[in-house]
Amino acid sequence: MAERTLISPAQLGRTRGKVLYWTVLVLVVVGFTLVFLGPLYWMVANGLKSTEEFAEVPPTLVPGSLHTANYTSAWKVMDLAKLLLNTVYYAFGALAFQLVLDVAAAYSLSRLRPIFGKAVLGMMLATLMIPATVLVVPQYLTVLDMPLIQRNLLNTPWVIWLPSVTNAFNIFLLKRFFDSIPQEILDAASIDGASALRTLRSVVLPMSRPILGVVSIFAIVGVWKDFLWPMLTLPDPALQTLNVGIYSLSTGVPENHLIAALAMASAPTLIVFLIFQRNIMSGLTAGSLKG
């Protein structure tokens, strides 16, 4: 069956159709490029301007002279190295917990099929419809006096790690991928005497590298971009994340230096995405079709 498109092959074969097609395509590509890359360029360019040029009205599109010292000064004055290490520590700690617990939950729902498993998954997905800001107060009261252990978790890594452990969206992605793994492969492992845990470790996880890469990136970016929760739960300046630290130290810092600091804070996640964008897309589409 032939695919239906907005422009038929007959219209594309005509000169008018080709001109219309390429005009629309170029306009759409250029438009989306400006929407997504425009703010990034503006942030980097403003970080390279002098204080006088930064305050000019109307602003200049291209810096008259490049003041790369703004980035060096912002790095030192705001102690971005310390804030960056803090953020990396929190992000990879959250990643470790998510990979262990979310994979276990998704594998249980997909292959072990517990009683009321569908109801549990449905309740997990229902939490995605709750705005994150609604959960801030109950979560804060919980970490302020942690049940059972009766401990205050403020200014500890656990205050970042524990709320990020159970991510309903990541569990759903993992479950969909596990559902797509042919049952014959798991049956063969079972015939060879492998337990459910051994099957997960030796068979399922090696096949799940694409989706594990996607979940890993989501986990790291989730911690990296978070602002409100770390600001409330990490009041100690020595323990703050990159975003909160820049906000706390922004008073008295020239605005062009502040923009330079924000540009450097945004760079790691952009670099990770550019390097692993193919893995991200393949991981998101993996499991969409059974086979």
Side-chain angles (χ1 to χ4, degrees):
M1 182 178 179
E3 295 184 0
R4 299 185 62 181
T5 60
L6 293 176
I7 303 178
S8 66
Q11 289 175 315
L12 283 176
R14 302 171 186 168
T15 304
R16 183 180 178 183
K18 289 181 180 179
V19 171
L20 178 62
Y21 171 79
W22 285 107
T23 301
V24 173
L25 179 62
V26 170
L27 289 176
V28 170
V29 171
V30 171
F32 274 95
T33 301
L34 291 176
V35 168
F36 287 103
L37 297 184
L40 298 177
Y41 167 78
W42 192 247
M43 183 168 55
V44 174
N46 281 333
L48 292 170
K49 294 178 181 179
S50 64
T51 305
E52 294 76 14
E53 186 180 4
F54 183 86
E56 286 183 5
V57 179
T60 56
L61 184 61
V62 179
S65 57
L66 302 181
H67 295 265
T68 56
N70 293 345
Y71 285 83
T72 305
S73 178
W75 181 271
K76 294 179 180 178
V77 171
M78 294 190 167
D79 197 11
L80 294 186
K82 175 65 176 177
L83 297 176
L84 182 62
L85 289 176
N86 288 345
T87 309
V88 170
Y89 177 58
Y90 297 140
F92 280 90
L95 169 62
F97 282 106
Q98 282 197 31
L99 286 182
V100 173
L101 299 177
D102 288 2
V103 166
Y107 185 71
S108 300
L109 293 171
S110 175
R111 293 302 175 179
L112 302 184
R113 306 185 186 280
I115 301 176
F116 304 122
K118 292 184 178 180
V120 171
L121 179 62
M123 289 187 287
M124 286 183 181
L125 295 179
T127 62
L128 296 176
M129 293 182 284
I130 302 175
T133 51
V134 175
L135 302 175
V136 169
V137 173
Q139 283 183 348
Y140 184 82
L141 295 176
T142 300
V143 299
L144 196 61
D145 185 14
M146 192 68 183
L148 300 179
I149 63 175
Q150 303 298 320
R151 286 192 59 186
N152 185 341
L153 299 182
L154 299 184
N155 283 324
T156 66
W158 297 103
V159 81
I160 302 295
W161 294 341
L162 290 181
S164 64
V165 164
T166 51
N167 188 298
F169 182 68
N170 287 347
I171 292 175
F172 175 72
L173 287 179
L174 290 165
K175 181 184 180 300
R176 286 292 303 273
F177 186 88
F178 294 157
D179 288 342
S180 69
I181 296 177
Q183 183 63 37
E184 292 78 7
I185 296 177
L186 304 181
D187 292 340
S190 179
I191 293 174
D192 289 340
S195 63
L197 183 60
R198 177 64 183 276
T199 301
L200 172 63
R201 186 176 66 251
S202 302
V203 178
V204 176
L205 290 183
M207 299 175 61
S208 306
R209 290 176 182 173
I211 194 63
L212 291 178
V214 172
V215 170
S216 300
I217 292 172
F218 285 170
I220 292 173
V221 172
V223 175
W224 201 280
K225 69 181 180 63
D226 199 7
F227 174 76
L228 179 60
W229 182 249
M231 184 180 66
L232 293 174
T233 57
L234 297 171
D236 187 351
L239 301 174
Q240 290 176 345
T241 60
L242 199 56
N243 293 335
V244 178
I246 292 175
Y247 172 78
S248 301
L249 299 172
S250 61
T251 305
V253 176
E255 291 187 353
N256 53 340
H257 290 190
L258 177 60
I259 297 298
L262 293 174
M264 288 187 285
S266 305
T269 51
L270 292 175
I271 293 172
V272 168
F273 174 77
L274 292 175
I275 294 175
F276 297 104
Q277 58 177 324
R278 183 173 299 178
N279 303 78
I280 294 173
M281 299 308 299
S282 64
L284 288 174
T285 56
S288 59
L289 297 174
K290 283 200 173 187

